[in-house]
Amino acid sequence: MQQQKPTSSAEMGRAEKEQLDRTLNLHINTIHETFQVLDQASPSSLEKVSWYHVVQMGELLSKQATIVGMLWTGESPEAKAIEETMESYVNLLQGFLLLSHGSSVSAGPTLSSSIHESVRQVVDCSFKLLKESVSLYDEIPSILAGSYNKDRKNSIPRFVGTVWEACSALNKCPATNITAIGRAMTQVAVSVEDVLREMKELKPVSSDVMDETSDRASTKPENEPQEEDDFSEDDLGNDLSEEEMEIAQLAVGVVSGTLATVKELIRAITDLIKLENPDDNGKFVGSLEKLLKLCQEVGAQIDELGACLYPPQELPAIKVALEKISSSIDEVQLEMESFKSSSEPLVQSFSDLRTSIKQMLHHLDCVDTKVVVDKLQNVALTN
């Protein structure tokens, strides 16, 4: 009878590594499958979970991440200890995902997106921590032999820290549709404010530069080739003609009015929080989402308007942007009237913005008329 050959420590170590890898992959696949549930709208029949409970579960995950990290603070851990802590962590992560799904009941697209992004960050950081822990176990022979990469000694605390940060960030995630939409509108306001700041930096070409350019042109022989003027990025936007500066200043008025309107709209939206009813708010949330979309469209047109002000100014594109802003503002006011809560400052901001847009459109029409008249005069003189 053939005697069974004893299993070497190297073979046992290899088997433990393979088992850890299989366990890790199994856990990751399970979490991936659970996470896909968050991509689906939560049924209204599902009990609403308070975001507070999701945050609490995040705190438990942070503590469990610390336990995973502590395995590597002393001697090299055994495979069984890594597997057990990994299983405990994944169980908590699974519960965290299910609670997060429950918190998205009655959530509109904006709130759902915020929840999804926050949860995804926690999941991604968790995967990196668990993968690093298993990867370090594979390198234990190198650690014992003294050929271990010293930079990786601090890898586990770093990955634990990212889990802490992701879980801590859950506190900043909006818990209601109004809060989520209000923050998204605030981002629009910030973008409009950036455009306004850039517009105010536009300057006309100085009279000295104009005189110098005119002198060079008058003294240069006709047959001498034109030389390229020295140009730098700092000169961009600083060479507007007097007529172009008038248009730019009118645009500043429009953008200032837009910023004031968006800010008043955010205040009005915030005041609506008492109307948000988780049990019957489909139409309410739909109206809020429409308001947000309209604000984002206005923000996009403000960007377009700002880009068109650099010479040579694109007057037709400027007109289109102004008309789209005006149309969106009309829809915003109509939507706000459905809430029957439009404040006087908000209504006044609508009126002021429309006045600024009309003034600028009238000026552009005058510029177009002047261009046509000048062309006709040139044709008459030529004939």
Side-chain angles (χ1 to χ4, degrees), residues 12 76 109 148 154 197 202 205 233 289 295 308 378:
M12 289 180 62
S76 300
Y148 181 60
N154 296 322
R197 184 177 59 254
L202 292 172
V205 61
E233 291 184 0
E289 293 288 351
C295 277
C308 291
N378 289 334

Side-chain angles (χ1 to χ4, degrees), residues 265-283:
L265 185 60
I266 293 172
R267 292 189 185 97
I269 291 294
T270 303
D271 291 340
L272 294 174
I273 195 166
K274 58 182 178 292
L275 300 178
E276 184 167 7
N277 181 2
D279 298 324
D280 183 24
N281 67 347
K283 184 179 178 181

Side-chain angles (χ1 to χ4, degrees), residues 48-62:
K48 173 76 173 180
V49 175
S50 169
W51 186 250
Y52 171 77
H53 297 305
V54 178
V55 173
Q56 282 188 316
M57 183 62 81
E59 292 175 356
L60 293 177
L61 272 173
S62 295

Side-chain angles (χ1 to χ4, degrees), residues 23-190:
T23 302
L24 175 62
N25 290 331
L26 179 63
H27 287 322
I28 287 178
N29 290 335
T30 300
I31 295 301
H32 273 310
E33 291 174 2
T34 306
F35 189 79
Q36 290 176 359
V37 175
L38 270 71
D39 294 329
Q40 306 169 9
S42 302
S44 57
S45 57
L46 188 66
E47 183 179 356
K48 173 76 173 180
V49 175
S50 169
W51 186 250
Y52 171 77
H53 297 305
V54 178
V55 173
Q56 282 188 316
M57 183 62 81
E59 292 175 356
L60 293 177
L61 272 173
S62 295
K63 294 177 181 178
Q64 189 62 32
T66 303
I67 293 174
V68 173
M70 288 177 64
L71 289 175
W72 296 94
T73 57
E75 297 181 358
S76 300
E78 296 181 356
K80 184 178 181 181
I82 295 175
E83 189 170 351
E84 288 176 350
T85 55
M86 182 163 53
E87 184 175 357
S88 298
Y89 189 96
V90 170
N91 287 338
L92 282 175
L93 188 58
Q94 186 91 340
F96 168 76
L97 291 177
L98 295 176
L99 283 177
S100 299
H101 184 57
S103 72
S104 64
V105 173
S106 302
T110 304
L111 178 57
S112 295
S113 177
S114 297
I115 292 173
H116 193 280
E117 183 179 347
S118 297
V119 173
R120 165 59 72 184
Q121 189 65 23
V122 173
V123 171
D124 287 347
C125 292
S126 297
F127 282 171
K128 291 177 182 178
L129 172 63
L130 297 179
K131 288 179 180 178
E132 183 68 7
S133 184
V134 172
S135 175
L136 282 177
Y137 182 81
D138 292 344
E139 295 190 21
I140 285 179
S142 299
I143 297 174
L144 297 175
S147 59
Y148 181 60
N149 186 346
K150 293 181 179 180
D151 291 337
R152 292 201 59 186
K153 285 185 178 181
N154 296 322
S155 62
I156 284 291
R158 186 172 69 252
F159 284 113
V160 170
T162 60
V163 173
W164 288 351
E165 291 173 0
C167 291
S168 178
L170 295 172
N171 289 286
K172 300 178 181 179
C173 182
T176 65
N177 288 291
I178 285 182
T179 305
I181 290 171
R183 288 185 185 179
M185 286 186 177
T186 300
Q187 293 176 355
V188 174
V190 171

Side-chain angles (χ1 to χ4, degrees), residues 6-22:
T7 305
S8 67
S9 59
E11 290 174 338
M12 289 180 62
R14 190 180 306 112
E16 289 174 342
K17 292 176 187 177
E18 292 174 353
Q19 175 61 28
L20 275 179
D21 288 334
R22 284 194 297 269

